Amino acid sequence: MSDGHDHGDDDHGHEDGHHHDHGGHDHDDGHDHDAHSHDHDHDHHAHDVEQLGYAVVTVSSSRGHEDDAAGDAIESAVEGAGDEVVVREVIADDFDGVQGTVDRLVDRDDVDCVVTTGGTGVTPDDVTVEAVVPLFDKELPGFGELFRAMSREEIGTMVVGTRATAGVAGGVPVFCLPGSENAARLGSEEIIVEEAGHLAGLARRE
């Protein structure tokens, strides 16, 4: 698997990134909130989910639970933020398996956020993005853009091989990270745990 540095797909992040990026915050977040109050600090996070239940899915045909360093890094970030990993799975690089697993997890009442690690590179068996994106009701291209920008310091131009992506499926934020431990730690610690509560609150708002 190329997932160790399977950081890629600039197109996915940038093609319509600015469009959705502003749409996500301005439409879902700014207008409705501002109608209630002009106090942005309080209002902006009024619908945040305070304690999240995470599902962590490692996509790898070669790893098991005992040597899942990327999954461990994500779980550590989640728990460090005061949230909980309610389910953790290791599954093979299989399109139907990945899609079915994520689809099942977003339907669980105790899952507020899904994070996958692995299968986002460019080898033939890297199918996470292809399997998960069709489940999205809304894509969050800003996640991939930010992840690649932050990864550049570590891996340089190799970020062009990284297709990390995110979206909302069934009212649940889903983040797809590369399979390396460093990538999983960076994405979960620096981005996901910072924004997941806010995104989960907005995504489920009636």
Side-chain angles (χ1 to χ4, degrees):
M1 282 225 24
S2 71
D3 244 350
H5 266 199
D6 90 79
H7 285 331
D9 189 14
D10 219 18
D11 287 346
H12 187 72
H14 286 280
E15 211 164 288
D16 59 351
H18 297 299
H19 214 48
H20 282 290
D21 217 12
H22 291 140
H25 275 293
D26 289 71
H27 295 179
D28 282 9
D29 199 16
H31 293 163
D32 289 343
H33 282 280
D34 288 348
H36 297 301
S37 165
H38 292 292
D39 184 346
H40 293 299
D41 287 339
H42 289 115
D43 220 31
H44 187 67
H45 293 284
H47 297 274
D48 288 12
V49 178
E50 290 192 13
Q51 182 158 30
L52 295 173
Y54 280 78
V56 177
V57 180
T58 298
V59 180
S60 174
S61 297
S62 60
R63 297 182 210 166
H65 288 281
E66 66 287 341
D67 60 349
D68 179 18
D72 290 343
I74 296 167
E75 183 165 8
S76 176
V78 168
E79 291 177 347
D83 295 317
E84 181 185 3
V85 174
V86 296
V87 59
R88 186 166 161 187
E89 299 186 17
V90 178
I91 61 175
D93 303 275
D94 172 74
F95 181 96
D96 291 337
V98 173
Q99 190 172 82
T101 297
V102 173
D103 195 30
R104 168 173 53 82
L105 291 172
V106 299
D107 280 341
R108 284 179 53 144
D109 291 338
D110 58 348
V111 171
D112 302 300
C113 180
V114 175
V115 183
T116 72
T117 174
T120 64
V122 296
T123 62
D125 59 351
D126 286 323
V127 295
T128 298
V129 176
E130 287 75 14
V132 175
V133 167
L135 300 175
F136 290 164
D137 303 309
K138 296 181 185 295
E139 294 189 42
L140 299 171
F143 172 73
E145 292 170 359
L146 179 57
F147 177 79
R148 281 181 282 278
M150 295 175 76
S151 299
R152 187 178 176 189
E153 185 176 329
E154 180 192 343
I155 64 169
T157 56
M158 286 179 67
V159 294
V160 300
T162 263
R163 299 187 301 138
T165 191
V168 176
V172 174
V174 178
F175 300 91
C176 301
L177 289 168
S180 74
E181 182 180 359
N182 286 347
R185 180 176 293 108
L186 171 67
S188 56
E189 287 185 358
E190 301 295 328
I191 309 175
I192 295 173
V193 299
E194 295 292 329
E195 293 299 326
H198 185 51
L199 293 170
L202 292 174
R204 68 176 57 173
R205 221 169 93 201
E206 295 299 328

